[in-house]
Amino acid sequence: MTKAYIVGWGHSPFGKLPEPNTETLMQGVIQEALLHAGVAHEAIDGIFVGVYNNGFSAQDFQAALVAMGDERFAHTPATRYENACATGSAALHGALDFIESGRGRIALVVGAEKMTATPTADVGNILLSASYHQEEAHIAGGFAGVFGEIATSYFQKYGDRSYELAMIAAKNHANGVANPWAQMRKDIGTDFCATISERNPTVAGPLRRTDCSLISDGAAALVIADAETAAQLERAIAFRARTQANDLMALSRRDVLAFRGASIAWKQALEASGLSLSDLSLVETHDCFTIAELLEYEAMGLAAPGEGYRVIREGITHKDGALPVNPSGGLKSKGHPIGATGVSMHVMAAMQLMEEAGDMQIPNAHIAGVFNMGGAAVTNYVSILERMK
């Protein structure tokens, strides 16, 4: 079995963008990614598209939109993936499987979402479709309400960690200042994030506005190649390990504070790579809400259950800490256009490894972890990336 490598990428700004739809968003980053990789359109053997949609647009059949934006892809196989907030990583795994099975030599992965044209109240309900509707459709506040309930349960079990959540938000916003693609490039400080105010109201449970990721438009793309092809190109980022682990969808049927699926995915990835967390130079993790990042500290093994607050208190995950987490600003600052998110996280990690991250750069970055989840840790993807050339 051949190995698959990241050989190039493209990334749009995230935020409220003028592009009217995912077709246009994808077109821009695809051209950028092919140019960055040094690969021609006709060399692409398969296209793997990540778009959540689920009501953001009346237009579906999103894989076919790539060729509508560029007719040179009219006869290239294209398939659309959807796996909640891990949609982008699902598309990436499809491309990796395609290359590693020998079915193609070069694949294109593109993730996109157009969210800001949808009224805010409707956005929350669309995202709630990533929950178990039979039991959870009633939750007030949409998808934020789900994580509000998780935060409430965590505080009841382990104590109020509102201030530590504010510290996580402030860290990610401070990091996002250096990210030219980020939606919100402003260091707003821990005190602002910790204080309930007119500008920072409570959204759901104990979660404030600053605890919640942003409604975003955006797209990102990756070019994936086999070993022989990658050897001839300028860049080659290897997957030292990649894993996926799922968990039960319904909150009522599991201990949601355990983030068990995330924990399994991390354990499997570290075992497959032969590495420990101390070997990683950085991690891009899925901070859709600050409580998620706190739970992910525990799931990846940085802290015991209930002790995640120590990680941010001790500065371990700051940009100059022992294991920088979300040097890009994460979903919290960078933005969270659902279908683009998993692809974007891999782009940000690859930039670090190629020393192309600009002001975001972590010195001497050589191995990066990526964690992208769908729903409330229902589907969980971990990648451990390593620069090969």
Side-chain angles (χ1 to χ4, degrees):
M1 184 180 73
T2 186
K3 285 286 189 179
Y5 298 83
I6 296 172
V7 296
W9 51 81
H11 201 293
S12 79
F14 282 2
K16 188 171 185 178
L17 303 182
E19 286 83 357
N21 49 43
T22 54
E23 178 183 333
T24 311
L25 286 165
M26 289 191 288
Q27 185 178 359
V29 295
I30 287 170
Q31 307 309 316
E32 182 184 344
L34 294 176
L35 182 63
H36 189 252
V39 168
H41 291 75
E42 58 268 23
I44 300 300
D45 297 312
I47 302 170
F48 298 80
V49 177
V51 178
Y52 182 65
N53 195 9
N54 240 332
F56 287 121
S57 169
Q59 174 68 64
D60 222 325
F61 197 7
Q62 296 272 334
L65 294 179
V66 173
M68 292 303 296
D70 188 334
E71 292 188 13
R72 289 174 292 183
F73 289 122
H75 305 296
T76 307
T79 306
R80 181 268 190 98
Y81 288 72
E82 182 276 309
N83 217 8
C85 303
T87 286
S89 288
L92 173 58
H93 272 232
L96 295 170
D97 291 343
F98 176 73
I99 297 299
E100 292 181 351
S101 70
R103 292 183 58 218
R105 298 190 63 180
I106 306 178
L108 174 66
V109 181
V110 59
E113 213 73 61
K114 178 72 180 182
M115 301 172 69
T116 66
T118 302
T120 301
D122 293 340
V123 170
N125 289 328
I126 289 171
L127 296 181
L128 196 56
S129 63
S131 295
Y132 189 54
H133 253 234
Q134 291 188 44
E135 297 179 4
E136 296 158 19
H138 69 281
I139 294 177
F143 200 56
V146 172
F147 277 85
E149 290 196 358
I150 292 170
T152 297
S153 296
Y154 189 92
F155 290 2
Q156 288 172 346
K157 187 171 184 178
Y158 298 118
D160 189 330
R161 296 301 174 195
S162 297
Y163 193 79
E164 286 79 10
L165 297 188
M167 293 178 73
I168 290 171
K171 168 185 70 74
N172 291 344
H173 278 291
N175 288 348
V177 173
N179 185 347
W181 297 275
Q183 181 169 352
M184 187 174 178
R185 300 181 65 189
K186 185 177 181 181
D187 185 354
I188 55 180
T190 300
D191 287 345
F192 177 82
C193 295
T195 304
I196 297 171
S197 65
E198 186 176 346
R199 294 172 59 203
N200 189 30
T202 299
V203 173
L207 299 180
R208 301 144 298 204
R209 180 178 290 165
T210 49
D211 292 308
C212 308
S213 58
L214 304 162
I215 295 169
S216 315
D217 308 329
L222 291 162
V223 180
I224 308 296
D226 65 11
E228 184 178 347
T229 304
Q232 302 169 33
L233 299 174
E234 182 179 349
R235 301 168 186 84
I237 302 292
F239 286 78
R240 181 104 174 220
R242 62 180 177 99
T243 60
Q244 179 190 359
N246 271 43
D247 207 339
L248 291 170
M249 193 177 194
L251 300 179
S252 65
R253 294 174 62 181
R254 59 189 167 107
D255 177 6
V256 72
L257 300 184
F259 265 37
R260 181 65 177 145
S263 179
I264 291 170
W266 267 109
K267 182 179 180 181
Q268 291 176 343
L270 291 170
E271 287 179 351
S273 67
L275 300 172
S276 65
L277 288 176
S278 62
D279 295 311
L280 304 184
S281 306
L282 66 124
V283 169
E284 287 288 335
T285 202
H286 193 103
D287 60 320
C288 51
F289 300 91
T290 53
I291 185 63
E293 182 166 328
L294 186 73
L295 285 165
E296 287 155 21
Y297 293 162
E298 299 172 10
M300 72 173 74
L302 280 176
E307 299 290 316
Y309 75 96
R310 296 184 183 275
V311 175
I312 190 68
R313 282 277 186 182
E314 294 170 11
I316 293 169
T317 53
H318 281 75
K319 195 171 179 179
D320 59 355
L323 181 60
V325 170
N326 288 333
S328 69
L331 286 58
K332 185 67 206 67
S333 174
K334 176 163 58 79
H336 185 21
I338 306 300
T341 289
V343 183
S344 168
M345 296 171 84
H346 284 84
V347 170
M348 293 294 145
M351 283 180 178
Q352 291 281 354
L353 299 180
M354 290 303 303
E355 298 183 343
E356 296 179 19
D359 291 340
M360 295 183 286
Q361 188 66 51
I362 301 298
N364 304 312
H366 58 284
I367 298 177
V370 177
F371 173 73
N372 180 207
M373 72 179 182
V378 176
T379 188
N380 306 271
Y381 293 83
V382 173
S383 297
I384 296 182
L385 304 179
E386 181 176 24
R387 178 176 178 173
M388 301 306 292
K389 63 185 294 187

